[in-house]
Amino acid sequence: MKKILTFAVLVLAMTACNKRVNPFLTEWDTPYGIPPFEQILPSDYIPAIRAGIAQQNAEIDAITANPDAPTFENTIVPLELSGRILSKVTGVFYNVTETDRTDELAAVEEEAIPLMSEHSDNISFNKALYNRVAALYHGDQSGLTREQQMVLKRHFDSFEREGIGLPEEQQARLRQINADIATKTQKIGNNILAESNDFLEKFGFSVAAYPDKMTTTEDRELRRQYNEAYTSRGHRGNDNDNRQLLLDVLDLRAEKARILGYPNAAAYILANKMAGDPQTVDSFLDGIMKAAVAQAKEELADMQAVMDREVREGKLPAGSRIEPWDWWYYAEKVRKEKYDLDESQTKPYFQIDSVINGIFTNAKILYGVNMERLEGVPVYNPEVRTYKVTAEDGSLLGIFTTDYKPRASKRGGAWMNNIREQYYDADGKDVRPIIVNVCNFSDDYLTIDEVETTFHEFGHALHGLLTKCHYPTVSGTNVTRDFVEMFSQFNENWAFQPALLARYAKNAQGEPIPEELVTKILNAKKFNQGFMTTELCAASILDMRWHELATTKGVDVDAFEAQVTREIGLIPEITYRYRSTYFNHIFSSGYAAGYYGYLWAEVLDKDAFSIFAASPDGPYDLALARKFKQTFLERGGSEEPMTLYRSFAGRDPDSAAMLRARGLTD
Ligand SMILES: [Zn+2]
């Protein structure tokens, strides 16, 4: 009997196993349609991607087979709604490969990337589809809403920019280039992660904690070793060396640009951005660089004075000069002396839960957003927390999740990601977004920089959550790279507003942060900005210079960096924020010829904030906040960025507020 029973159980189990349905191929009856993360196996991705590609191909075939003349309704709408399975898979997949990477997932990714790249090319080079889109674009658009016109323009531009008008031979070459870029950029990203994990293994702390360690480590020789290891990532002649790979990627990007009629990759990439062309970006960055280096030299002199005193006290040998590994450490000493601000005093008030309370409270005051913790819903990692986000009238805005702790399986840095985009489905139902904020906070108590990071990423989240668009191509954060950072940086302006600090910055005893400490934080805001701006601006220029090359023939990565360093007057005590071999943004994350976007968007964000600052009600002018929400946060990419900006500010943006905020002018 027992034997038979065992057999029966086994058969049942096998049947169940055979009948297991790929979760991506089912409707999700989870709360709010959150992906059923716990049910997804690594082996589900490839079959789901293949099914998703087949689904989208069939949907596109149906569009092009339609004998009726093209209309927005019979062409663009079904195109926008196509590929839902693929969106479900990629929303989950791209998130976990960045946050919970395993060897198994890495192998899946290696298989997935060429599939996705080929599929995307098949759409880009679909002449029948293009003909319908082009007929609409060149036809009478007067019956379309502004959002529909923008969606149409995006599709038309995208075809043109991918080379639909080129002869087949050149299209074939572009396909090969796209596939090679996809594979090589992925490899670069993986190498950076491996190098960062080597760093962690060697020193016992992650690269995310590098600034903190450089600030607090007294042992100068140890700091030198940290610096050397940090700045030589991807550059050590081991299996993770990125030098040749990045040159290959640059050549592929330059070749693609050339085929498409642009002199270099930067010109191609910038043609559909706010900035428009490399010359505009170059002169923008040059102006900032000069002011930043001048400021950094003053900061250096302050630090050297502290060091000279230590020499006189016999703590350091005669002739000691500030080196790159001394900057953080001596900057902190100057900060303590000049501003009497010590992060060990502020940290107790910035426990992570208090800071989360701060970002939520601020969003509630400004935009009427309510956050409610959800328990028992699917999560991709036990560290993840989920919130239901609702508007003032109780309607659902979306789902927001936080993933703040570092893991060896997680990429460094901080970012926002959409697991699901906002759009209206075929039944006219408003599908609300699912958004994640990912950070790498090594401690439960945050530094001042980390508090800002939390506000920054939540600014992106608000842009994603408050969107009121109809089409996924333009909803939420689907705007140009040099516009998107405006909203994250804009939200940072509230992090240290005294009225908000009084509500959220409390220590373990529940005592609010003392007023004198708040004053010190605010006074110290401009501190070390010469350094911060210099390393950021230098990295932005390095990005531009790489992508302005027509070829890397005969170029050596180190020699090239050294040459740029000389040309821009970067002082030897400061290193690029990211050196080329670990510059994830530009070689693996879609910020190629786009890193300037942070500074560019900061002009917009600081200028917009200056309008709040000038209001009698200050940063909590709620009428102005409503205008900001309606003009920007609800509109996504449904209008040209500059048009939106002018309708908010009533004028063009002015960089004076940004330079003032960074202490680069009076
Ligand atoms: Zn950002």
Side-chain angles (χ1 to χ4, degrees):
M1 186 65 196
K2 200 182 168 204
K3 252 186 183 165
I4 294 167
L5 191 68
T6 313
F7 182 67
V9 168
L10 193 66
V11 168
L12 255 178
M14 282 175 67
T15 319
C17 192
N18 283 339
K19 276 201 175 150
R20 182 181 174 277
V21 180
N22 188 318
F24 290 112
L25 306 181
T26 61
E27 283 301 313
W28 295 339
D29 57 359
T30 49
Y32 310 100
I34 295 171
F37 294 108
E38 288 96 340
Q39 293 173 31
I40 298 166
L41 302 174
S43 56
D44 289 328
Y45 291 110
I46 295 295
I49 287 172
R50 289 188 191 281
I53 289 173
Q55 179 197 45
Q56 192 166 30
N57 284 339
E59 288 164 335
I60 289 173
D61 286 348
I63 298 170
T64 55
N66 190 335
D68 298 341
T71 62
F72 192 87
E73 292 302 320
N74 74 17
T75 302
I76 303 298
V77 171
L79 185 57
E80 284 288 301
L81 291 174
S82 72
R84 292 334 296 173
I85 293 177
L86 215 44
S87 304
K88 279 163 91 173
V89 188
T90 53
V92 173
F93 186 61
Y94 289 148
N95 186 59
V96 293
T97 54
E98 302 269 87
T99 57
D100 253 337
R101 194 178 186 79
T102 59
D103 289 346
E104 207 177 355
L105 273 178
V108 171
E109 188 181 53
E110 217 159 287
E111 198 178 342
I113 282 175
L115 282 177
M116 302 287 296
S117 165
E118 192 196 353
H119 177 59
S120 143
D121 282 346
N122 285 340
I123 298 175
S124 300
F125 296 121
N126 186 326
K127 195 89 188 187
L129 184 60
Y130 167 74
N131 288 340
R132 293 183 75 92
V133 172
L136 286 172
Y137 184 75
H138 294 304
D140 176 13
Q141 293 191 23
S142 59
L144 301 181
T145 66
R146 186 66 189 130
E147 182 183 351
Q148 288 172 333
Q149 291 173 358
M150 288 296 287
V151 173
L152 176 57
K153 182 172 190 299
R154 285 269 190 105
H155 283 292
F156 178 76
D157 284 351
S158 154
F159 277 112
E160 296 275 308
R161 284 176 59 79
E162 290 301 323
I164 191 80
L166 296 174
E168 233 161 74
E169 199 178 302
Q170 285 183 320
Q171 286 187 356
R173 179 61 195 146
L174 283 176
R175 279 173 182 268
Q176 189 56 50
I177 290 173
N178 290 341
D180 289 351
I181 290 176
T183 314
K184 283 178 192 278
T185 52
Q186 195 55 45
K187 177 83 178 110
I188 290 174
N190 293 347
N191 286 345
I192 296 171
L193 182 62
E195 288 286 274
S196 299
N197 283 335
D198 275 2
F199 182 97
L200 170 67
E201 207 164 291
K202 184 168 181 195
F203 296 115
F205 64 91
S206 75
V207 291
Y210 174 77
D212 205 33
K213 289 285 176 187
M214 293 302 279
T215 306
T216 55
T217 302
E218 263 190 66
D219 185 333
R220 196 177 185 209
E221 168 55 21
L222 204 51
R223 290 202 307 269
R224 193 195 61 76
Q225 288 175 22
Y226 293 164
N227 176 263
E228 187 183 274
Y230 185 86
T231 56
S232 62
R233 283 177 294 151
H235 194 262
R236 300 188 292 153
N238 60 6
D239 285 351
N240 304 325
D241 200 300
N242 275 335
R243 279 173 286 188
Q244 190 55 49
L245 273 169
L246 74 87
L247 293 175
D248 291 349
V249 167
L250 288 165
D251 278 333
L252 289 163
R253 286 175 179 162
E255 187 188 349
K256 178 173 177 174
R258 206 159 47 240
I259 293 173
L260 291 162
Y262 295 86
N264 54 51
Y268 167 67
I269 291 166
L270 289 165
N272 68 346
K273 304 299 182 293
M274 262 184 109
D277 56 62
Q279 295 71 29
T280 305
V281 176
D282 289 344
S283 64
F284 170 71
L285 292 174
D286 278 350
I288 296 171
M289 190 69 193
K290 283 192 183 73
V293 171
Q295 181 73 18
K297 282 180 179 165
E298 286 180 27
E299 292 164 6
L300 180 63
D302 284 346
M303 295 191 299
Q304 190 61 51
V306 175
M307 189 175 245
D308 290 348
R309 198 174 63 213
E310 292 185 352
V311 169
R312 288 195 297 277
E313 290 166 357
K315 291 180 186 161
L316 288 170
S320 295
R321 309 293 305 167
I322 296 281
E323 301 283 352
W325 44 92
D326 295 318
W327 197 292
W328 296 94
Y329 183 75
Y330 281 91
E332 185 61 14
K333 289 195 174 201
V334 172
R335 177 157 71 169
K336 278 181 191 162
E337 285 184 14
K338 243 183 159 168
Y339 300 96
D340 193 24
L341 180 67
D342 177 348
E343 292 233 19
S344 65
Q345 294 173 334
T346 56
K347 270 190 171 185
Y349 297 96
F350 296 119
Q351 201 272 339
I352 190 146
D353 290 320
S354 308
V355 177
I356 292 171
N357 179 32
I359 57 176
F360 288 178
T361 302
N362 192 53
K364 185 173 173 65
I365 301 171
L366 289 176
Y367 311 119
V369 167
N370 291 297
M371 312 292 296
E372 179 195 330
R373 179 88 188 261
L374 291 175
E375 306 273 6
V377 295
V379 287
Y380 62 87
N381 185 288
E383 296 280 353
V384 172
R385 287 192 205 172
T386 309
Y387 300 86
K388 176 186 174 183
V389 190
T390 50
E392 262 163 331
D393 63 3
S395 61
L396 182 72
L397 288 171
I399 297 298
F400 173 66
T401 65
T402 62
D403 180 2
Y404 283 157
K405 291 279 170 66
R407 291 187 285 276
S409 57
K410 195 196 263 189
R411 172 161 83 74
W415 64 94
M416 168 274 201
N417 193 14
N418 272 50
I419 290 175
R420 183 173 68 207
E421 307 280 357
Q422 182 263 334
Y423 68 101
Y424 275 76
D425 70 11
D427 303 323
K429 181 175 165 275
D430 185 3
V431 178
R432 299 306 305 174
I434 301 174
I435 284 165
V436 56
N437 272 182
V438 185
C439 298
N440 278 281
F441 299 141
S442 43
D443 187 12
D444 265 357
Y445 291 88
L446 305 189
T447 64
I448 289 167
D449 270 357
E450 287 171 336
V451 173
E452 272 183 350
T453 300
T454 315
F455 276 77
H456 178 105
E457 298 310 331
F458 195 63
H460 284 308
L462 286 169
H463 196 198
L465 287 162
L466 289 164
T467 174
K468 279 191 175 174
C469 296
H470 290 78
Y471 306 99
T473 289
V474 296
S475 77
T477 54
N478 290 315
V479 299
T480 60
R481 278 274 178 240
D482 51 3
F483 188 44
V484 76
E485 294 298 334
M486 171 180 171
F487 306 100
S488 47
Q489 295 176 160
F490 182 72
N491 203 47
E492 288 178 34
N493 291 306
W494 277 267
F496 302 107
Q497 290 300 331
L500 187 68
L501 284 169
R503 294 178 70 159
Y504 85 87
K506 293 180 180 167
N507 65 12
Q509 288 74 45
E511 298 155 352
I513 188 166
E515 218 170 290
E516 51 147 21
L517 214 46
V518 175
T519 311
K520 284 180 190 174
I521 292 175
L522 296 176
N523 286 342
K525 283 295 286 173
K526 286 177 188 166
F527 171 70
N528 208 30
Q529 284 297 320
F531 168 82
M532 303 285 249
T533 314
T534 299
E535 60 154 22
L536 173 63
C537 192
S540 308
I541 296 176
L542 182 62
D543 167 31
M544 289 302 295
R545 294 292 165 87
W546 275 128
H547 289 97
E548 284 165 356
L549 287 179
T551 170
T552 69
K553 198 157 184 256
V555 171
D556 170 82
V557 172
D558 294 292
F560 186 81
E561 272 187 14
Q563 182 196 329
V564 176
T565 299
R566 274 194 307 277
E567 285 170 11
I568 65 178
L570 179 62
I571 52 179
E573 294 81 2
I574 301 181
T575 317
Y576 296 96
R577 185 161 185 182
Y578 302 100
R579 293 191 60 193
S580 308
T581 55
Y582 53 93
F583 206 158
N584 203 76
H585 285 83
I586 68 164
F587 290 117
S588 182
S589 275
Y591 276 79
Y595 200 64
Y596 76 94
Y598 288 94
L599 283 165
W600 183 272
E602 196 175 316
V603 169
L604 305 176
D605 112 60
K606 286 290 177 290
D607 192 48
F609 184 71
S610 74
I611 298 171
F612 279 79
S615 153
D617 295 327
Y620 289 101
D621 180 330
L622 298 187
L624 210 48
R626 177 171 297 271
K627 187 177 182 189
F628 189 86
K629 178 170 87 164
Q630 289 171 345
T631 311
F632 293 116
L633 298 174
E634 292 179 351
R635 309 262 325 256
S638 66
E639 180 53 276
E640 295 291 354
M642 199 51 98
T643 308
L644 294 181
Y645 195 87
R646 287 181 187 129
S647 81
F648 175 76
R651 55 170 173 77
D652 280 356
D654 178 350
S655 61
M658 185 272 262
L659 294 171
R660 260 198 321 276
R662 285 185 170 264
L664 303 179
T665 55
D666 293 326

mmCIF file of all heavy atoms in Angstrom, residues 414-415 456-457 460 484-485 488-489 591 598, ligand 1:
data_model
loop_
_atom_site.group_PDB
_atom_site.id
_atom_site.type_symbol
_atom_site.label_atom_id
_atom_site.label_comp_id
_atom_site.label_asym_id
_atom_site.label_seq_id
_atom_site.Cartn_x
_atom_site.Cartn_y
_atom_site.Cartn_z
ATOM 1 N N ALA A 414 22.858 53.998 -7.343
ATOM 2 C CA ALA A 414 21.449 54.124 -6.992
ATOM 3 C C ALA A 414 20.673 54.440 -8.257
ATOM 4 O O ALA A 414 21.172 55.159 -9.110
ATOM 5 C CB ALA A 414 21.263 55.240 -5.970
ATOM 6 N N TRP A 415 19.489 53.890 -8.381
ATOM 7 C CA TRP A 415 18.697 54.158 -9.580
ATOM 8 C C TRP A 415 17.217 53.867 -9.335
ATOM 9 O O TRP A 415 16.848 53.238 -8.351
ATOM 10 C CB TRP A 415 19.199 53.354 -10.777
ATOM 11 C CG TRP A 415 19.083 51.864 -10.648
ATOM 12 C CD1 TRP A 415 18.057 51.082 -11.095
ATOM 13 C CD2 TRP A 415 20.039 50.972 -10.041
ATOM 14 N NE1 TRP A 415 18.327 49.762 -10.799
ATOM 15 C CE2 TRP A 415 19.524 49.658 -10.156
ATOM 16 C CE3 TRP A 415 21.275 51.132 -9.419
ATOM 17 C CZ2 TRP A 415 20.189 48.533 -9.667
ATOM 18 C CZ3 TRP A 415 21.945 50.018 -8.931
ATOM 19 C CH2 TRP A 415 21.396 48.747 -9.065
ATOM 20 N N HIS A 456 16.621 62.084 -4.246
ATOM 21 C CA HIS A 456 16.857 62.057 -5.694
ATOM 22 C C HIS A 456 16.061 60.921 -6.352
ATOM 23 O O HIS A 456 15.275 61.151 -7.268
ATOM 24 C CB HIS A 456 18.363 61.881 -5.944
ATOM 25 C CG HIS A 456 18.742 61.778 -7.393
ATOM 26 N ND1 HIS A 456 19.346 62.807 -8.070
ATOM 27 C CD2 HIS A 456 18.601 60.782 -8.290
ATOM 28 C CE1 HIS A 456 19.555 62.444 -9.324
ATOM 29 N NE2 HIS A 456 19.115 61.214 -9.478
ATOM 30 N N GLU A 457 16.275 59.721 -5.879
ATOM 31 C CA GLU A 457 15.620 58.571 -6.514
ATOM 32 C C GLU A 457 14.108 58.648 -6.357
ATOM 33 O O GLU A 457 13.357 58.241 -7.246
ATOM 34 C CB GLU A 457 16.167 57.250 -5.963
ATOM 35 C CG GLU A 457 17.662 57.019 -6.221
ATOM 36 C CD GLU A 457 18.081 57.224 -7.678
ATOM 37 O OE1 GLU A 457 17.265 57.010 -8.589
ATOM 38 O OE2 GLU A 457 19.249 57.625 -7.901
ATOM 39 N N HIS A 460 12.627 60.728 -9.095
ATOM 40 C CA HIS A 460 12.351 59.934 -10.305
ATOM 41 C C HIS A 460 11.051 59.143 -10.116
ATOM 42 O O HIS A 460 10.235 59.034 -11.036
ATOM 43 C CB HIS A 460 13.473 58.924 -10.554
ATOM 44 C CG HIS A 460 14.740 59.504 -11.111
ATOM 45 N ND1 HIS A 460 14.766 60.299 -12.224
ATOM 46 C CD2 HIS A 460 16.040 59.365 -10.721
ATOM 47 C CE1 HIS A 460 16.037 60.634 -12.497
ATOM 48 N NE2 HIS A 460 16.815 60.085 -11.594
ATOM 49 N N VAL A 484 15.451 64.130 -17.894
ATOM 50 C CA VAL A 484 14.921 63.239 -16.857
ATOM 51 C C VAL A 484 15.506 63.536 -15.471
ATOM 52 O O VAL A 484 14.821 63.403 -14.463
ATOM 53 C CB VAL A 484 15.121 61.753 -17.256
ATOM 54 C CG1 VAL A 484 16.555 61.293 -17.070
ATOM 55 C CG2 VAL A 484 14.172 60.858 -16.474
ATOM 56 N N GLU A 485 16.773 63.970 -15.425
ATOM 57 C CA GLU A 485 17.394 64.199 -14.112
ATOM 58 C C GLU A 485 16.913 65.491 -13.459
ATOM 59 O O GLU A 485 17.219 65.754 -12.308
ATOM 60 C CB GLU A 485 18.917 64.189 -14.223
ATOM 61 C CG GLU A 485 19.508 62.838 -14.616
ATOM 62 C CD GLU A 485 19.233 61.721 -13.616
ATOM 63 O OE1 GLU A 485 19.043 62.024 -12.420
ATOM 64 O OE2 GLU A 485 19.171 60.548 -14.038
ATOM 65 N N SER A 488 14.530 64.372 -10.468
ATOM 66 C CA SER A 488 15.178 63.751 -9.314
ATOM 67 C C SER A 488 15.931 64.820 -8.523
ATOM 68 O O SER A 488 15.804 64.924 -7.308
ATOM 69 C CB SER A 488 16.142 62.673 -9.798
ATOM 70 O OG SER A 488 16.938 63.170 -10.864
ATOM 71 N N GLN A 489 16.678 65.649 -9.260
ATOM 72 C CA GLN A 489 17.477 66.682 -8.587
ATOM 73 C C GLN A 489 16.569 67.753 -7.975
ATOM 74 O O GLN A 489 16.859 68.281 -6.907
ATOM 75 C CB GLN A 489 18.482 67.273 -9.577
ATOM 76 C CG GLN A 489 19.492 66.208 -10.005
ATOM 77 C CD GLN A 489 20.497 66.648 -11.060
ATOM 78 O OE1 GLN A 489 21.536 66.037 -11.191
ATOM 79 N NE2 GLN A 489 20.211 67.667 -11.821
ATOM 80 N N TYR A 591 23.947 56.113 -20.942
ATOM 81 C CA TYR A 591 24.271 57.529 -20.781
ATOM 82 C C TYR A 591 25.403 57.972 -21.702
ATOM 83 O O TYR A 591 26.056 58.976 -21.440
ATOM 84 C CB TYR A 591 24.629 57.849 -19.325
ATOM 85 C CG TYR A 591 23.441 58.116 -18.431
ATOM 86 C CD1 TYR A 591 22.683 57.074 -17.915
ATOM 87 C CD2 TYR A 591 23.061 59.417 -18.112
ATOM 88 C CE1 TYR A 591 21.589 57.311 -17.093
ATOM 89 C CE2 TYR A 591 21.980 59.670 -17.290
ATOM 90 C CZ TYR A 591 21.242 58.610 -16.780
ATOM 91 O OH TYR A 591 20.160 58.859 -15.973
ATOM 92 N N TYR A 598 23.255 65.367 -16.165
ATOM 93 C CA TYR A 598 23.056 65.699 -14.746
ATOM 94 C C TYR A 598 23.223 67.202 -14.520
ATOM 95 O O TYR A 598 22.422 67.830 -13.828
ATOM 96 C CB TYR A 598 24.034 64.923 -13.859
ATOM 97 C CG TYR A 598 23.691 63.456 -13.752
ATOM 98 C CD1 TYR A 598 24.272 62.524 -14.604
ATOM 99 C CD2 TYR A 598 22.780 63.010 -12.810
ATOM 100 C CE1 TYR A 598 23.954 61.182 -14.518
ATOM 101 C CE2 TYR A 598 22.455 61.668 -12.712
ATOM 102 C CZ TYR A 598 23.041 60.759 -13.564
ATOM 103 O OH TYR A 598 22.715 59.435 -13.486
HETATM 104 ZN ZN ZN B 1 18.900 60.190 -11.310
#
